[in-house]
């Protein structure tokens, strides 16, 4: 019965154990599907399922017929043009990170968009090159085709090296696409949950540092070789500073000037984005001006600056991946596949929440996998989504992936018709544009202080991920970061939070006894809570904490009592003890005997329940014992274990828990378990957890039910009314009346 009274409530009901509750309330028997049931359901074929699978595999079929042409087409065209211009420039710039000719970045900015339009589920992300992925692919390229293989640096040798590098980038991209496709078909989209926000933030920040260092050689025009190995960033900086006197001043000045302009205008775009109809396309403006100035001022001839050079018009024939290359970069393909998906899915999720539409992680894997397979076949490199480019597509009014198709058309125009206009553009300008897109990632350093104040473990994950990725490289760093992240999960679950509870406010609320002053602890009762699953790795920690909470080791007490009984039997047999109405009286001078003599090589018997059936008197362990017999005192009679936060208990932990509970029961301490989740009791029954000592009757619905049951059982002298057969429970935060036909146990009078 529940009676609302203002913002208070009064509840009157029986004190329920799990058994009594199930007896009074009929429980439905539900059929729980097993593995084979799920398998049959997954492979079931019906017209409705075929339609559902088709719509899931080809999301464009579901949203394109519902496209609001008159309302959305203009916004998508404007957004697509803006995004396409950014895609062209980022494709050229990020190709430098891959260590391939800039023109191949246009292929990476074109083909994945076409695939994503058909298979993708996000309406707002812009698919194409991403600096982190480009850098990871570039690491593989540098490792397999190092700079030293260029020989004497002739045009013929340089062209051959470029061809090899393009083939490596295409092959590793194709391989990463295969991995993404397989993971998507196997419904492994959930893997993204193992890459936490802290890990992704630390990893992308480290990648931004690598991008910054890798672009220095283009900004200074220095022949710095690639070092794709642990501590490679240090070797790169060492090489840069050893050649710093050979810097091309024209490239350096151009880079710094472009970088300053880009940063200032981007800051204006961010600060006044609410007032600007569209962000200022500073990358496009700078690129056009730089190309014009470089062409008419003849920078290449006068200052020997490095330029983009002639871009091949049209597309090259598709190629098959090189099997030899694939064998050498399997690990890289996996890391590129996972990082690319994790970043893209994170961005897509932000926009899906903002615009209220669903996205499918498994379908995203399939879309990016097919996009990378197609892109790799046409000599592109790995694609994901750049945060800045997706921001342009969404902020300029993009409604659907129609904007993506428009941006692909812009890239196509550059590939087929006007790419030659970019030939005089300095590579140092592209390097500066690449660095200009790193502001958001570099600003993630601010998260360290926030994480330290909010969650030390997350902060440690960020720092370890950042340091590992910076110094060990992105591939080894990512593996190290994931391993460390999982280690923190193990540590947190292996060392769970265990607390001793007390009643707070004289109601049915139980909290940590150390946190409140107005508490009540029933005499002789310990309430212990474990806030974690209990399994093989933390069961010993749980046991130690429980023993620490009660203040004694039950096994030690049990052994001491059995040793005491052996000694009492021996003294009675010798006549050294005599039974009187007042108890046992020692009739002889006490002699100390060793524990080894009392054990009599029967140690296993000491762990059995105490047996006093053959004694003429029942021993009261709390009373004074005969001289020479010392047994630890036990000040509690009941223990309540709060299992409301225990989500599961494995078989190994179950065995240890059963043994521990029996040790308490054998020294006459009652054990109660409260708040166990659904199915917990059934699992224990299936695993033969219960016997003559451990019984299902120890389970109660709540801590309060268990405590009231204990108080009734102990028949506390201060509450003589606690004896009706039909016991009811009442709790409230104020004194109130309950219908007179309910036998009452008001908490206020009890506590």
């Amino acid at each position: 019965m529940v009676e609302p009274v203002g913002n208070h409530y009064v509840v009157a009901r029986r004190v329920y154990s799990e058994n009594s509750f199930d007896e009074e309330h009929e429980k439905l028997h539900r059929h729980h599907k097993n593995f084979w049931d799920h398998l049959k359901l997954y492979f079931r074929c019906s017209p409705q399922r075929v339609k559902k699978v088709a719509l899931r595999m080809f999301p464009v079929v579901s949203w394109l017929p519902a496209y609001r042409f008159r309302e959305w087409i203009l916004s998508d065209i404007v957004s697509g043009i803006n995004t396409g211009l950014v895609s062209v420039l980022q494709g050229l710039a990020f190709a430098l990170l891959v260590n391939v000719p800039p023109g191949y970045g246009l292929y990476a900015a074109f083909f994945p968009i076409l695939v994503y339009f058909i298979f993708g589920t996000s309406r707002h992300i812009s698919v194409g090159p991403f600096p982190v992925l480009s850098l990871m692919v570039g690491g593989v390229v540098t490792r397999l085709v190092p700079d030293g293989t260029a020989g004497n640096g002739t045009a013929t040798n340089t062209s051959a090296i470029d061809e090899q590098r393009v083939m490596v980038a295409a092959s590793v991209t194709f391989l990463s696409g295969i991995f993404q496709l397989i993971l998507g078909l196997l419904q492994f989209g959930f893997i993204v949950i193992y890459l936490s926000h802290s890990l992704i933030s630390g990893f992308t920040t480290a990648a931004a540092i690598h991008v910054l260092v890798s672009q220095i050689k283009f900004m200074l025009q220095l022949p710095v070789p690639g070092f794709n190995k642990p501590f490679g960033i240090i070797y790169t900086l060492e090489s840069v500073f050893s050649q710093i006197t050979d810097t091309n001043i024209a490239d350096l000045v151009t880079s710094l000037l472009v970088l300053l302009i880009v940063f200032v205008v981007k800051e204006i775009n961010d600060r006044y984005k609410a007032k600007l109809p569209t962000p200022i396309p500073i990358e496009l403006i700078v690129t056009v001006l730089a190309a014009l100035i470089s062409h008419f001022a003849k920078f290449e001839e006068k200052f020997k600056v490095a330029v983009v050079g002639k871009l091949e018009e049209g597309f090259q024939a598709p190629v098959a991946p090189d099997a030899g290359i694939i064998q050498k970069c399997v690990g890289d393909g996996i890391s590129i596949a996972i990082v690319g998906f994790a970043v893209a899915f994170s961005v897509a999720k932000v926009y899906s929440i903002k615009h209220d539409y669903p996205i499918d992680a498994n379908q995203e894997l399939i879309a990016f996998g097919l996009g990378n397979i197609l892109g790799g076949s046409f000599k592109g490199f790995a694609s994901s989504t750049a945060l800045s480019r997706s921001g342009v597509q969404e902020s300029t009014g993009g409604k659907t992936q129609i904007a993506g198709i428009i941006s692909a058309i812009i890239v196509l125009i550059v590939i087929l018709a006007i790419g030659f206009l970019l030939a005089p553009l300095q590579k140092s300008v592209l390097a500066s544009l690449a660095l200009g897109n790193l502001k958001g990632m570099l600003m993630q350093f601010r998260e360290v202080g926030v994480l330290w104040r909010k969650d030390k473990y997350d902060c440690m994950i960020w720092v370890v991920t950042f340091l590992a990725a910076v110094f060990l490289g992105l591939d080894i760093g990512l593996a190290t970061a994931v391993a460390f992240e999982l280690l923190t999960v193990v540590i947190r679950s292996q060392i769970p939070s265990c607390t001793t509870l007390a009643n707070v406010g004289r109601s049915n609320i139980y909290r940590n006894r150390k946190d409140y002053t107005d508490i009540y602890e029933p005499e002789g009762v310990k309430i212990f809570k474990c806030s974690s699953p209990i399994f093989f790795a933390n069961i010993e920690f749980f046991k130690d904490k429980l023993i620490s909470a009660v203040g004694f080791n039950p096994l030690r007490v049990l052994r001491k009592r059995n040793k005491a009984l052996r000694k009492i039997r021996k003294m009675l047999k010798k006549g050294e003890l005599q039974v009187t109405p007042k108890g046992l009286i020692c009739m002889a001078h006490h002699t100390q005997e060793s524990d080894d003599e009392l054990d009599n090589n029967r140690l296993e018997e000491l762990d059995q329940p105490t047996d006093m059936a053959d004694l003429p008197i029942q021993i009261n362990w709390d009373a004074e014992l005969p001289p020479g017999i010392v047994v630890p005192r036990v000040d509690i009679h009941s223990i309540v274990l709060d299992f409301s936060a225990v989500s599961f208990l494995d078989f190994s932990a179950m065995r240890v828990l059963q043994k521990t509970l029996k040790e308490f029961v054998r020294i006459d301490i009652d054990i109660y378990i409260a708040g166990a989740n659904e199915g917990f009791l059934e699992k224990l029954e299936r695993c033969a957890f219960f016997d003559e000592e451990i019984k299902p009757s120890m389970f109660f619905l709540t801590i309060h039910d268990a405590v009231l049951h204990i108080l009734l059982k102990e028949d506390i002298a201060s509450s003589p009314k606690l004896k009706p057969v039909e016991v009811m429970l009442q709790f409230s935060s104020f004194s109130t009346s309950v219908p007179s036909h309910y036998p009452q146990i008001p908490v206020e009078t009890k506590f």
Side-chain angles (χ1 to χ4, degrees):
M1 174 180 152
V2 181
E3 295 183 0
V5 183
N7 64 343
H8 301 79
Y9 68 89
V10 178
V11 176
R13 64 168 176 81
R14 288 181 56 189
V15 172
Y16 282 122
S17 66
E18 289 282 356
N19 287 343
S20 62
F21 185 81
D22 288 342
E23 289 172 1
E24 184 170 321
H25 301 277
E26 184 178 358
K27 199 171 184 179
L28 294 175
H29 295 282
R30 294 182 294 152
H31 172 69
H32 296 279
K33 295 177 183 176
N34 55 29
F35 172 77
W36 295 110
D37 293 330
H38 286 288
L39 202 62
K40 291 176 184 177
L41 186 63
Y42 184 77
F43 287 104
R44 186 185 63 185
C45 186
S46 65
Q48 293 80 9
R49 180 164 176 78
V50 170
K51 180 180 178 182
K52 183 178 179 181
V53 171
L55 290 175
R56 188 173 70 239
M57 291 294 293
F58 301 95
V60 65
V61 178
S62 61
W63 65 262
L64 189 57
Y67 186 78
R68 303 176 189 174
F69 188 85
R70 292 183 178 179
E71 298 178 33
W72 292 350
I73 189 61
L74 184 60
S75 297
D76 278 340
I77 290 175
V78 172
S79 174
I81 293 173
N82 281 278
T83 307
L85 295 173
V86 175
S87 296
V88 169
L89 300 176
Q90 290 188 349
L92 296 172
F94 296 159
L96 300 181
L97 301 177
V98 186
N99 296 299
V100 297
Y104 290 92
L106 298 178
Y107 301 150
F110 176 72
F111 289 105
I113 296 176
L114 305 180
V115 175
Y116 194 84
F117 175 79
I118 299 172
F119 296 97
T121 59
S122 175
R123 303 174 191 171
H124 293 90
I125 66 171
S126 174
V127 180
F130 178 57
V132 175
L133 283 192
S134 301
L135 195 64
M136 294 177 75
V137 175
V140 182
V141 169
T142 304
R143 187 180 77 239
L144 298 184
V145 189
D147 292 318
T149 59
N152 57 13
T154 63
T156 303
N157 285 332
T158 302
S159 177
I161 293 303
D162 285 342
E163 285 296 323
Q164 294 179 41
R165 290 184 166 182
V166 167
M167 195 63 203
V168 171
S171 297
V172 72
T173 297
F174 187 93
L175 180 61
S176 67
I178 291 293
F179 282 128
Q180 288 176 327
L181 180 61
I182 292 173
L183 291 173
L185 293 175
L186 295 178
Q187 306 291 294
F188 269 70
F190 65 85
I191 61 172
V192 73
I193 66 176
Y194 294 104
L195 302 179
S196 67
H197 172 77
S198 300
L199 187 147
I200 293 176
S201 175
F203 182 78
T204 52
T205 306
I209 299 297
H210 279 284
V211 171
L212 176 63
V213 173
S214 69
Q215 296 305 287
I216 292 178
K217 67 178 182 180
F218 296 107
M219 297 174 68
L220 306 180
Q221 199 184 329
L222 298 175
V224 178
F227 297 96
N228 186 32
K229 58 183 179 180
F231 302 101
I233 192 171
I234 296 177
Y235 296 119
T236 301
L237 290 173
E238 181 186 13
S239 179
V240 168
F241 286 111
S242 67
Q243 306 176 66
I244 197 73
T245 55
D246 300 328
T247 299
N248 186 305
I249 301 301
D251 270 326
L252 176 60
V253 172
T254 302
S255 300
L256 295 177
L257 187 60
V258 169
L259 202 56
L260 177 63
I261 293 172
V262 169
F263 271 130
V264 170
V265 176
K266 280 184 174 288
E267 186 65 28
I268 293 173
N269 284 339
D270 288 340
R271 185 164 297 184
Y272 299 102
K273 60 184 177 181
K275 298 180 180 180
L276 292 173
T278 181
I280 301 172
I282 187 59
E283 291 96 341
L284 176 63
I285 296 172
V286 166
T287 302
V288 172
L289 291 177
L292 290 173
I293 294 172
S294 177
H295 173 71
F296 289 107
K298 301 185 183 302
F299 276 11
E300 185 178 11
E301 296 176 11
K302 292 182 179 180
F303 303 109
K304 306 300 180 185
V305 297
V307 297
V308 170
K310 182 181 178 182
L311 298 178
E312 295 186 17
E313 294 183 358
F315 297 99
Q316 299 187 20
V319 296
D322 189 309
I325 294 173
I326 286 178
Q327 291 176 2
K328 298 176 183 178
C329 56
V330 174
D332 300 287
I334 294 174
S335 58
I336 290 169
I338 293 176
V339 171
F341 167 65
V343 172
F345 186 77
S346 300
V347 177
K349 193 172 182 179
V350 170
Y351 290 124
S352 72
I353 293 172
K354 180 178 180 180
H355 296 279
D356 191 24
Y357 62 86
I359 56 173
D360 185 343
N362 296 310
Q363 186 60 29
E364 289 292 292
L365 271 172
I366 293 173
F368 281 105
L370 292 174
N372 281 326
I373 290 172
L374 183 63
S377 299
F378 282 90
K379 298 186 178 181
F381 49 84
S383 65
S384 177
T385 181
L387 281 69
S388 58
R389 193 170 60 247
S390 295
V392 170
Q393 180 165 319
E394 192 265 345
S395 63
T396 53
K399 304 296 182 184
T400 66
Q401 284 301 329
I402 294 290
I405 290 295
I406 301 297
S407 70
I409 293 174
I410 300 297
V411 178
L412 180 64
I413 293 172
V414 175
I415 293 174
L416 297 179
I418 62 174
F420 68 93
L421 297 176
L422 298 172
L425 183 65
Q426 294 170 249
K427 287 186 177 180
S428 58
V429 173
L430 294 179
S432 298
L433 293 179
L435 297 184
N437 287 287
L438 299 180
K439 177 188 173 185
M441 288 189 280
L442 292 174
M443 293 301 288
Q444 292 176 140
F445 275 112
R446 296 182 298 183
E447 293 185 11
V448 177
V450 177
L451 290 173
W452 180 256
R453 292 191 297 271
K454 293 184 176 180
D455 191 312
K456 301 294 191 295
Y457 279 105
D458 273 351
C459 183
M460 290 172 60
I461 290 171
W462 197 103
V463 172
V464 170
T465 301
F466 174 79
L467 294 177
V470 165
F471 293 108
L472 301 181
L474 295 179
D475 47 359
I476 300 176
L478 177 63
T480 303
V482 172
F484 180 78
E485 182 182 47
L486 295 178
L487 179 63
T488 62
V489 175
V490 172
I491 292 174
R492 281 189 271 192
S493 59
Q494 190 171 345
I495 308 177
S497 172
C498 296
T499 55
T500 302
L501 307 183
N503 183 274
V504 179
R506 311 300 172 114
S507 65
N508 65 323
I509 299 173
Y510 292 82
R511 292 289 186 268
N512 190 335
R513 63 185 302 275
K514 297 179 180 179
D515 295 337
Y516 298 89
T517 56
D518 182 21
I519 62 173
Y520 168 74
E521 295 181 275
E523 186 178 355
V525 179
K526 282 289 181 182
I527 306 171
F528 183 79
K529 178 175 182 176
C530 177
S531 300
S532 166
I534 302 177
F535 57 104
F536 65 92
N538 67 6
I539 182 60
E540 292 299 332
F541 180 86
F542 169 84
K543 179 180 177 180
D544 293 341
K545 283 293 184 179
L546 177 59
I547 290 173
S548 175
V550 298
F552 58 85
N553 188 324
L555 184 59
R556 179 174 178 271
V557 173
L558 178 62
R559 289 176 175 176
K560 286 286 187 179
R561 288 184 179 183
N562 277 321
K563 287 180 181 180
L565 288 176
R566 287 184 183 180
K567 190 169 185 178
I568 289 172
R569 290 189 182 96
K570 188 174 181 180
M571 294 176 69
L572 286 172
K573 187 175 181 180
K574 291 181 177 181
E576 296 176 358
L577 285 178
Q578 188 172 359
V579 180
T580 68
K582 295 183 179 181
L584 295 174
I585 297 179
C586 185
M587 305 299 294
H589 180 68
H590 165 65
T591 57
Q592 185 70 35
E593 298 184 46
S594 68
D595 285 346
D596 291 338
E597 182 180 351
L598 289 173
D599 290 344
N600 197 24
N601 297 322
R602 293 178 296 172
L603 288 173
E604 67 279 356
E605 294 183 7
L606 297 178
D607 296 344
Q608 300 302 312
T610 54
D611 184 10
M612 305 182 194
D614 59 330
L615 295 179
I617 189 174
Q618 293 294 309
I619 306 298
N620 182 1
W621 299 110
D622 294 328
E624 185 177 353
L625 298 175
I629 299 178
V630 179
V631 176
R633 292 182 61 86
V634 176
D635 297 325
I636 66 174
H637 53 73
S638 301
I639 297 175
V640 179
L641 300 178
D642 179 9
F643 273 17
S644 58
V646 178
S647 57
F648 71 88
L649 178 73
D650 72 0
F651 187 76
S652 299
M654 198 179 299
R655 297 296 94 190
V656 178
L657 179 64
Q658 182 190 49
K659 182 175 180 294
T660 303
L661 298 187
K662 282 186 176 182
E663 291 169 1
F664 281 107
V665 170
R666 288 171 180 177
I667 59 173
D668 303 319
I669 293 179
D670 295 327
I671 300 291
Y672 302 93
I673 297 177
N677 59 28
E678 293 291 334
F680 198 90
L681 200 57
E682 289 82 354
K683 181 178 180 180
L684 295 181
E685 289 175 345
R686 289 196 307 270
C687 296
F689 183 80
F690 300 110
D691 54 22
E692 292 298 320
E693 294 175 288
I694 309 297
K695 301 178 181 180
S697 58
M698 69 167 55
F699 283 82
F700 281 77
L701 286 187
T702 67
I703 300 174
H704 203 53
D705 286 288
V707 169
L708 291 182
H709 173 81
I710 292 167
L711 297 180
L712 289 167
K713 184 177 178 180
E714 293 300 316
D715 194 20
I716 298 178
S718 60
S719 300
K721 296 182 179 180
L722 301 180
K723 295 184 181 180
V725 177
E726 181 71 14
V727 178
M728 302 298 293
L729 175 151
Q730 177 207 354
F731 47 84
S732 68
S733 58
F734 60 95
S735 298
T736 186
S737 60
V738 176
S740 59
H741 60 278
Y742 286 107
Q744 298 179 14
I745 308 175
V747 174
E748 292 85 359
T749 57
K750 171 59 65 180
F751 295 160

